[in-house]
Amino acid sequence: MPYAVRWRLNGRGYWRSFASRRGNNGADAFYSLLKVAAMNERDWSTESGLPTKWKKTNQLNVAQYCRLYIQEEWTRFSPSTRKSYVEALTSFIVNCARRGVKTLPADCRGVISSWLTPTLKNASVESEQFWEWSDEPLPRNIQAWLVRNSPSISDLDREVLYETDRRMRLCLDGKTLYAPTTQNRLVTVAKTALSAAVKRGLTDAIPWPQRESGATAKSDFKNTDDSHDDEVPNVKQLTMILDAMLSHQPASHLYRTLSAVCGFAGLRPGEAVVLEVEDLLLPAAGWGSIRVTRAWSGVAGDRWNSDLEEIAGPKTRRSRRTVPIPPILVSDLTNWMKRTNIESGALFLTRSGTRPTQSNWSRALRRGCLCAGWSTPLTPYGLRRTNASHLTQRIPIAEAAARLGHSVEVLTKHYVKRVAGQVALSNEILDGLYAFDNQS
C-alpha cells in the first residue's frame, strides 16, 4: 500500500499506509480526520497514536457500531433512505456472526429494527425536529447472542464477511434468493457503513469479498422469477386495464385516476399519491403538465399515510421536475376533479380524509388486470415501468429519462421492458429489410 500518512504525538512518530490516495478508504480521508481530531480531541492513546475515543469505538461489536453509525448519519438521510438503511443494517447485524454460529431467528429482526430507529419527539413543521434514541437495552436473549457471537469491527476478516455476504442475499427462509436489486441494496449499505469505520480509523481496510463473476454469479439468478416483469402492456391494453378497474365502489374511480397518473405520466406511486391541484396544468385542449415537488416518504411501515414525516422531497435531485402529460391524462384528471368537486389542496383523498393505501390500490389494480385479461398483474410501481417502456419506443431516450426523473443509465438498466406486441411489429419492420436483401 504505497500511500502513507505520518504524524507525531508527544514527539513520537506514527504512520499508517493505504492502497489509494483518494476515496473513502484513501490516505487523504484519514489525513483529514486526523486534522479535525487534532483540533477537537483531547485524549489520545500513546499506543496507537489515535484519539482514545477511536480506540474504544474499535472494540464495539457490529450491532453497537451500526447503531452508532446510524445515529451519526440519521439527520443527513432522507426519510425513505432511513427506512432502507435500518432494514439493511438489521440484516447485517443478524447475519454477521462468528464462524460456525447460526443467525438470529427471523422474529428478532423487528426488535433490532426498532432499536436502530429513534422516535421523533417534535413533529411540528414550524419547529426543528428532535430525534430521541431509546436507552432501553435489547431483550436479554438478543443481547446475550450479540455479546457471544457478534464480532467486533476490528475482528472482521474476509472469511466472516464472505459468509455474511452470502447470508444477506437470502430471504428469511434461508434458501430463496432476494431479487438482484434487493441483494445489492442490502450489501451496499453494509459496505457503506464499514467504509465509514475505515474513515474513522477503526479498521485499516474493508475485506469484503468481491462478487463472483461467470457461472457462479449467473446461477444466483436461477432461483429468481422475474419473467412477469419481461413484458408490459401496450397503450391500448393499459387503457383497458384502467377502465376495468371501475366498479360500483366509489373508491375505484380514485385508484383508476391514480393508476392513470403513473401509467401515462410515469410518476412514482409516492409522488402521485401526494399530488395537489396546484401542481397541475390542465388546459382545455392539448398537452398539460404535472409539477413534481414532493413525495410520500415511506416511513411507518407499508402504509402510504404516516403521522411521522408523511411528506418529504422527491427521491433525487432529478426527481424535481415538470412532466408533460398527454390529453388522455388531462381528460382523466379533469373528470376526477369535477367528480369530487376538488378545487385546491390534496388531489387524492379517501372518503375518510386519509391518503390512499398501497394495499387497496394494488388490489384494485390486480382486479383490473384480471378483468382485462392481462395475466400478470401490474403493481403501482409497475405502471411507472410501463410508461418508461412506452416512452423509449417513440421519443429520444434522454427526454424519456428527464420525464421520469432519473439518468439514462438507470432508465435502460431498470425500467425499459418489452411492450406487448413488439415481436410482431419488429418482424414486420424486418420483413422489409430481408425482402430488400433477397431482391438484391
Side-chain angles (χ1 to χ4, degrees):
M1 295 188 288
Y3 299 94
V5 177
R6 304 177 188 276
W7 70 100
R8 302 184 72 84
L9 176 66
N10 297 332
R12 179 181 174 183
Y14 300 87
W15 68 281
R16 177 170 292 184
S17 59
F18 298 84
S20 62
R21 178 179 176 181
R22 303 184 186 277
N24 291 340
N25 304 331
D28 286 352
F30 181 72
Y31 174 76
S32 299
L33 287 171
L34 277 181
K35 292 283 286 186
V36 173
M39 294 184 289
N40 300 320
E41 301 292 345
R42 294 186 178 183
D43 298 326
W44 292 69
S45 169
T46 55
E47 178 183 352
S48 64
L50 300 173
T52 306
K53 185 171 65 176
W54 290 12
K55 181 67 176 178
K56 291 179 180 178
T57 309
N58 195 31
Q59 305 306 317
L60 296 176
N61 62 31
V62 168
Q64 293 167 330
Y65 171 73
C66 285
R67 193 183 192 204
L68 177 64
Y69 168 75
I70 206 167
Q71 283 178 326
E72 293 177 350
E73 300 292 334
W74 189 262
T75 56
R76 186 177 65 85
F77 291 151
S78 66
S80 57
T81 302
R82 291 167 183 163
K83 180 180 179 181
S84 179
Y85 265 61
V86 167
E87 179 189 3
L89 292 179
T90 298
S91 176
F92 183 39
I93 292 170
V94 168
N95 290 296
C96 186
R98 303 184 195 277
R99 298 176 185 84
V101 175
K102 293 184 178 180
T103 60
L104 279 167
D107 56 2
C108 296
R109 291 182 179 238
V111 178
I112 295 177
S113 295
S114 299
W115 180 65
L116 291 175
T117 306
T119 302
L120 183 60
K121 287 299 184 181
N122 190 355
S124 174
V125 178
E126 293 78 11
S127 56
E128 185 178 357
Q129 294 179 347
F130 174 70
W131 295 94
E132 183 178 87
W133 298 81
S134 173
D135 294 330
E136 291 293 325
L138 288 166
R140 184 174 300 178
N141 61 323
I142 298 179
Q143 189 67 36
W145 185 93
L146 292 174
V147 170
R148 292 194 307 267
N149 303 317
S150 183
S152 66
I153 295 297
S154 58
D155 290 338
L156 292 175
D157 57 27
R158 187 172 298 275
E159 185 177 351
V160 170
L161 290 177
Y162 184 90
E163 181 63 16
T164 302
D165 181 283
R166 186 190 68 82
R167 289 173 171 178
M168 289 182 69
R169 296 177 186 275
L170 297 174
C171 298
L172 298 183
D173 60 8
K175 299 177 182 179
T176 308
L177 284 165
Y178 283 120
T181 52
T182 302
Q183 295 181 38
N184 293 336
R185 177 173 58 84
L186 295 176
V187 171
T188 299
V189 170
K191 293 167 70 173
T192 301
L194 291 183
S195 295
V198 175
K199 290 177 65 176
R200 289 166 173 79
L202 306 181
T203 183
D204 291 334
I206 303 174
W208 201 287
Q210 293 291 328
R211 196 76 180 123
E212 299 94 338
S213 59
T216 303
K218 290 178 181 178
S219 65
D220 288 351
F221 296 91
K222 292 181 180 179
N223 293 330
T224 61
D225 182 15
D226 290 334
S227 58
H228 67 281
D229 205 26
D230 288 340
E231 189 175 76
V232 297
N234 57 36
V235 174
K236 182 178 179 181
Q237 291 169 325
L238 176 60
T239 304
M240 293 174 59
I241 291 172
L242 297 181
D243 291 340
M245 293 176 66
L246 297 177
S247 68
H248 65 283
Q249 296 289 345
S252 64
H253 293 270
L254 166 66
Y255 295 115
R256 195 262 184 212
T257 309
L258 263 177
S259 299
V261 170
C262 294
F264 293 130
L267 268 64
R268 297 179 177 89
E271 295 169 345
V273 82
V274 294
L275 282 178
E276 296 183 354
V277 174
E278 290 74 14
D279 299 324
L280 308 179
L281 176 61
L282 305 177
W287 283 67
S289 66
I290 295 177
R291 188 177 68 250
V292 180
T293 59
R294 69 188 73 83
W296 170 77
S297 67
V299 180
D302 295 328
R303 296 182 301 170
W304 286 113
N305 55 310
S306 166
D307 294 333
L308 293 180
E309 301 181 285
E310 179 181 353
I311 299 175
K315 185 176 182 180
T316 64
R317 177 181 57 83
R318 286 190 177 98
S319 299
R320 291 184 178 271
R321 63 200 190 278
T322 298
V323 184
I325 58 175
I328 186 174
L329 181 54
V330 171
S331 176
D332 285 343
L333 288 170
T334 302
N335 292 337
W336 168 250
M337 292 173 60
K338 290 180 179 178
R339 181 182 183 86
T340 56
N341 296 320
I342 296 176
E343 297 181 355
S344 64
L347 190 62
F348 299 113
L349 293 175
T350 65
R351 286 184 296 177
S352 60
T354 60
R355 299 193 184 276
T357 62
Q358 183 180 12
S359 58
N360 289 340
W361 186 358
S362 298
R363 191 178 303 112
L365 190 54
R366 186 164 54 248
R367 183 180 65 250
C369 290
L370 183 63
C371 294
W374 185 255
S375 58
T376 52
L378 290 170
T379 63
Y381 209 94
L383 293 167
R384 175 172 162 85
R385 294 190 181 94
T386 300
N387 179 257
S389 303
H390 292 169
L391 293 180
T392 53
Q393 283 187 302
R394 300 297 176 91
I395 67 174
I397 193 168
E399 174 63 19
R403 295 188 182 207
L404 291 161
H406 49 55
S407 65
V408 171
E409 292 78 11
V410 171
L411 173 65
T412 55
K413 183 176 181 180
H414 298 292
Y415 285 87
V416 178
K417 307 295 180 183
R418 290 174 58 191
V419 178
Q422 279 188 334
V423 173
L425 178 61
S426 300
N427 289 345
E428 291 179 10
I429 295 173
L430 292 175
D431 278 339
L433 171 66
Y434 296 135
F436 175 80
D437 288 345
N438 290 334
Q439 291 174 4
S440 61

